[in-house]
Amino acid sequence: MKPTTVSDRYNLIDVIRALAILSMIVYHLCYDIFVAYEIDAVWYTYPAVILWERSISFSFVIVSGIALNFSRHPYKRGVILNLLGFLITIVSVLIMPSQQIWFGVLNLLGCAMMITHALRSLFDRIPPLAGMASSVLLFAVTFNIPKGSVGFFSLPAFALPDGLYSCKYLAFLGFPSRDFFSADYFPLIPWLFLFIFGYFLWRFIKERGRDGVFRYDVPALSFIGRHSLIIYLIHQPLLYAVCALVFGHF
């Protein structure tokens, strides 16, 4: 690890993003092998696998919230991410309907980026530590809303009315209908709050003068991190192709 020569870039953020996307690629490869080929159809329900998936999801969303602090055109980038998310939906529905994706991570990040940027003037008046604590609390309390209840993470306290889940068009908010399915589902509730946590986290780091450590670089990983969107878009088709070659079909 060495200090970056680009003084105005926090390359360690790209390194962290790269580690997350590499972990995601391995996870998706395992998912394709075990679940899509029905070698172990319940593989993704094992506690260790759930923790692995959560570590990837949390890393992506938090790092994206951090990166909003440096975004020059958040609305434009938000629109682009949403359009790419819709493209993934169309392709998945047409090519692999059993693994169709509705409101996946790109749609979440695109919407969260625009919503958080629109509220920046309000957020910037909130002390970073208070913003972090509030965001984490809201994330924890609303975490189980897509499954019909409010509580603390996956521990339900009380169920929400069934009427909230009667309209399939509210799935993007976090109220999916009972027949809703998505292989990659990141509704605004609760994930928007984790994104906002990332936004406040960088302000907290900056306020404490700890941002210098993020000047360090691991060149190969930071390169991957800077091109994470392209890698995300192409990795699954490549994995499908590899699996088809190995197993003879998909």
Side-chain angles (χ1 to χ4, degrees):
M1 183 176 286
K2 63 180 182 178
T4 176
T5 57
V6 183
S7 60
D8 61 346
R9 188 175 185 89
Y10 295 102
N11 284 314
L12 193 57
I13 295 174
D14 293 320
V15 171
I16 297 170
R17 185 187 287 116
L19 292 173
I21 200 162
L22 290 173
S23 182
M24 178 200 69
I25 291 171
V26 176
Y27 174 88
H28 282 164
L29 177 60
C30 293
Y31 184 94
D32 292 343
I33 293 173
F34 288 112
V35 179
Y37 284 95
E38 299 182 344
I39 294 175
D40 185 354
V42 297
W43 171 83
Y44 66 95
T45 65
Y46 298 146
V49 176
I50 292 173
L51 288 175
W52 182 15
E53 189 277 333
R54 288 285 180 254
S55 72
I56 299 169
S57 303
F58 281 35
S59 298
F60 265 122
V61 176
I62 291 173
V63 168
S64 296
I66 289 174
L68 180 61
N69 288 275
F70 318 114
S71 180
R72 296 179 180 177
H73 306 287
Y75 290 129
K76 178 181 177 181
R77 185 165 177 79
V79 170
I80 291 173
L81 288 176
N82 270 297
L83 290 175
L84 291 173
F86 294 141
L87 178 61
I88 289 175
T89 295
I90 293 171
V91 171
S92 67
V93 169
L94 294 177
I95 304 300
M96 288 194 67
S98 65
Q99 296 296 316
Q100 59 187 272
I101 295 172
W102 295 89
F103 209 81
V105 69
L106 292 187
N107 290 114
L108 164 71
L109 297 181
C111 291
M113 185 177 296
M114 293 188 288
I115 293 171
T116 305
H117 182 67
L119 298 173
R120 282 179 82 161
S121 60
L122 170 62
F123 290 158
D124 289 348
R125 292 197 293 268
I126 300 174
L129 188 58
M132 290 167 59
S134 300
S135 300
V136 167
L137 179 61
L138 287 169
F139 180 70
V141 169
T142 63
F143 186 79
N144 221 41
I145 279 182
K147 294 183 179 179
S149 66
V150 171
F152 187 77
F153 288 107
S154 295
L155 300 175
F158 60 88
L160 294 174
D162 288 339
L164 289 174
Y165 302 87
S166 61
C167 178
K168 63 181 180 180
Y169 300 111
L170 293 181
F172 79 98
L173 284 177
F175 303 99
S177 57
R178 301 307 177 190
D179 60 348
F180 175 82
F181 170 77
S182 176
D184 183 44
Y185 178 48
F186 286 85
L188 286 173
I189 299 173
W191 295 99
L192 173 61
F193 300 120
L194 193 64
F195 184 96
I196 294 172
F197 168 81
Y199 176 78
F200 279 114
L201 175 60
W202 182 255
R203 288 187 53 213
F204 178 79
I205 292 170
K206 189 79 171 176
E207 184 181 81
R208 296 298 189 276
R210 304 293 185 181
D211 58 306
V213 68
F214 289 87
R215 300 291 187 186
Y216 287 87
D217 190 16
V218 181
L221 290 178
S222 62
F223 177 84
I224 293 172
R226 289 194 300 272
H227 298 85
S228 59
L229 180 57
I230 295 174
I231 294 171
Y232 179 84
L233 291 173
I234 68 173
H235 84 282
Q236 273 290 35
L238 291 177
L239 292 180
Y240 292 154
V242 170
C243 287
L245 288 173
V246 173
F247 293 96
H249 70 281
F250 201 91

